[in-house]
């Protein structure tokens, strides 16, 4: 087995390879003057199982093209299987035609990746109406979750926590994490009017005065969900608020905005940034080791 980091996989690829006992390499990537990509596989992949690592944050569309060029080349060079480890996989939120004529991006991007990879591993995919990752990809896929790592982090670092999920969908993280460490949780209701306008409300009151409040969610993008949630929690007496997410996308000045609101932010390193303190590499290496003992 050989693990190859694509341009946004280097922060995890080497660790995953080491922990899985696999060979390691990096994809050579260059740009032509007109921005077309040029990729090169730098190791002999003939008859090998090749695992690409790519996390799709930032210039997502370029990262997709890079991955597809790499996967197809690897097959042409005789690899036995070509698989993808995607710590953060994009385009999953657009799972229906919200407005007439809109693309259902989740299905289209899923179909595209299924053409080039034999198996796909995704950490905490944002699936709402789609029940399973197998409904996104036509090839074999596996969902991993960072819940146990987040639970462990809270257990070690936060005393007397109460867990808050900022919207109905967040129960898969907030409720599950709370159950793992056996503490109380509440799930709020959210209405999103636009990317930059959300409203949240809490049905059942709770006194937060003496508790460490921990908001747990899968994604923080603009940060508005967390900011609006924190406003409600402050009214209920919350003093110290920590917010833990799996994927810290943090668009524009999101992190600064959250810091101004005195919210401590912690993320997993599916996307590397200055608050990505929870390492998910071990989770991927365990799965890979099981596949190729
Ligand atoms: C949505 O359902 C997700 O779980 C997050 O709550 C959402 O993506 C956060 O977005 P933002 O940070 O832009 O409010």
């Amino acid at each position: 087995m050989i693990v190859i980091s694509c341009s946004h996989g280097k922060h995890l690829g080497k660790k995953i390879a080491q922990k899985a006992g696999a060979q390691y390499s990096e994809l050579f990537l260059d740009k032509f003057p007109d921005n077309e990509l040029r990729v090169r596989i730098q190791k002999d992949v003939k008859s090998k199982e090749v695992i690409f690592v790519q996390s799709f944050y930032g210039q997502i569309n370029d990262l997709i093209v890079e991955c597809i060029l790499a996967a197809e080349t690897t097959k042409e060079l005789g690899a036995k299987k070509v698989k993808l480890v995607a710590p953060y996989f994009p385009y999953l939120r657009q799972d229906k035609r919200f407005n007439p004529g809109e693309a259902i991006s989740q299905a289209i991007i899923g179909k595209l990746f299924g053409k080039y990879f034999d198996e796909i591993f995704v950490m905490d995919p944002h699936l709402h109406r789609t029940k399973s990752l197998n409904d996104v990809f036509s090839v074999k896929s596996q969902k991993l979750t960072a819940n146990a790592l987040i639970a462990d982090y809270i257990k070690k670092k936060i005393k007397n926590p109460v867990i808050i999920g900022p919207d109905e969908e967040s129960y898969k993280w907030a409720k599950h994490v709370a159950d793992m460490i056996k503490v109380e949780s509440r799930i709020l209701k959210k209405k999103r009017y636009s990317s930059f306008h959300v409203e949240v409300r809490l049905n059942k009151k709770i006194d937060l005065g003496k508790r460490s409040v921990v908001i747990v969610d899968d994604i923080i993008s603009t940060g508005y969900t967390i900011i609006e949630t924190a406003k409600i929690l402050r009214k209920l007496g919350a003093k110290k608020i920590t917010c833990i997410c799996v994927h810290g996308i943090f668009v524009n000045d999101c992190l600064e905005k959250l810091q101004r609101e005195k919210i401590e932010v912690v993320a997993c390193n599916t996307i590397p940034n200055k608050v990505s303190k929870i390492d998910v590499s071990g989770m991927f290496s365990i799965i890979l080791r099981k596949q190729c003992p």
Side-chain angles (χ1 to χ4, degrees):
M1 176 169 58
I2 171 162
V3 173
I4 302 182
S5 285
C6 294
S7 62
H8 280 194
K10 291 178 192 161
H11 64 294
L12 282 171
K14 198 170 195 172
K15 281 197 255 182
I16 293 173
Q18 276 167 354
K19 290 179 187 171
Q23 279 184 68
Y24 177 70
S25 177
E26 288 180 2
L27 182 71
F28 175 86
L29 176 71
D30 194 13
K31 267 192 178 176
F32 289 105
D34 60 357
N35 277 329
E36 283 184 8
L37 301 179
R38 180 165 70 101
V39 307
R40 185 155 44 85
I41 306 298
Q42 307 196 85
K43 277 242 159 68
D44 179 15
V45 291
K46 198 167 170 47
S47 306
K48 292 200 177 124
E49 183 141 328
V50 178
I51 320 286
F52 284 103
V53 182
Q54 179 79 305
S55 191
F56 298 88
Y57 60 91
Q59 300 297 318
I60 299 167
N61 304 319
D62 269 11
L63 301 174
I64 292 175
V65 174
E66 173 192 334
C67 231
I68 283 168
L69 292 175
E72 184 61 13
T73 307
T74 306
K75 274 193 188 150
E76 283 169 19
L77 294 173
K80 189 161 78 182
K81 291 260 187 248
V82 182
K83 301 183 178 183
L84 174 68
V85 160
Y88 175 64
F89 191 85
Y91 283 108
L92 291 175
R93 283 176 285 179
Q94 186 77 14
D95 61 358
K96 81 171 207 186
R97 213 180 305 287
F98 294 93
N99 297 295
E102 244 172 31
I104 305 173
S105 319
Q106 182 193 84
I108 299 167
I109 297 294
K111 204 189 275 178
L112 179 71
F113 273 82
K115 283 188 188 157
Y116 294 96
F117 290 93
D118 298 301
E119 188 166 359
I120 299 171
F121 306 92
V122 182
M123 175 68 67
D124 285 304
H126 186 87
L127 299 179
H128 180 28
R129 278 155 286 260
T130 309
K131 288 284 162 281
S132 147
L133 208 51
N134 294 318
D135 300 326
V136 176
F137 302 113
S138 50
V139 290
K140 243 173 105 182
S141 59
Q142 270 197 64
K143 168 184 137 175
L144 288 80
T145 177
N147 278 345
L149 301 173
I150 294 174
D152 201 44
Y153 182 91
I154 296 172
K155 242 169 56 190
K156 283 192 186 134
K157 308 259 181 193
I158 302 176
K159 283 202 186 98
N160 193 19
V162 54
I163 311 294
I164 305 291
D167 55 30
E168 292 91 332
E169 293 165 43
S170 66
Y171 81 90
K172 286 183 257 178
W173 294 274
K175 174 84 173 71
H176 290 183
V177 165
D179 288 350
M180 279 176 179
I181 48 178
K182 300 190 176 52
V183 298
E184 198 181 352
S185 63
R186 283 281 195 288
I187 305 295
L188 278 67
K189 283 195 185 309
K190 176 170 88 180
K191 192 160 169 57
R192 173 152 237 141
Y193 296 96
S194 73
S195 296
F196 301 96
H197 180 201
V198 297
E199 273 174 22
V200 287
R201 64 191 164 82
L202 177 66
N203 285 341
K204 206 168 142 210
K205 289 214 167 159
I206 180 170
D207 180 7
L208 298 172
K210 296 198 177 82
R211 321 282 290 276
S212 302
V213 180
V214 186
I215 307 171
V216 175
D217 204 358
D218 61 336
I219 294 175
I220 302 178
S221 177
T222 65
Y224 282 101
T225 299
I226 301 303
I227 287 173
E228 291 307 310
T229 303
K231 281 183 193 163
I232 292 188
L233 302 177
R234 297 268 189 229
K235 282 184 194 151
L236 295 166
K239 291 184 183 67
K240 184 178 183 308
I241 301 181
T242 306
C243 169
I244 306 183
C245 67
V246 182
H247 310 298
I249 299 178
F250 306 137
V251 296
N252 304 329
D253 61 344
C254 169
L255 261 183
E256 289 71 27
K257 272 191 322 223
L258 292 169
Q259 273 154 7
R260 274 200 297 273
E261 298 292 327
K262 307 234 175 325
I263 302 167
E264 188 195 356
V265 186
V266 177
C268 296
N269 64 352
T270 54
I271 296 174
N273 51 57
K274 53 183 179 193
V275 296
S276 55
K277 296 178 188 158
I278 302 176
D279 181 23
V280 300
S281 61
M283 292 249 162
F284 285 109
S285 60
I286 289 169
I287 296 273
L288 296 181
R289 256 204 324 261
K290 273 190 200 149
Q291 294 222 325
C292 295

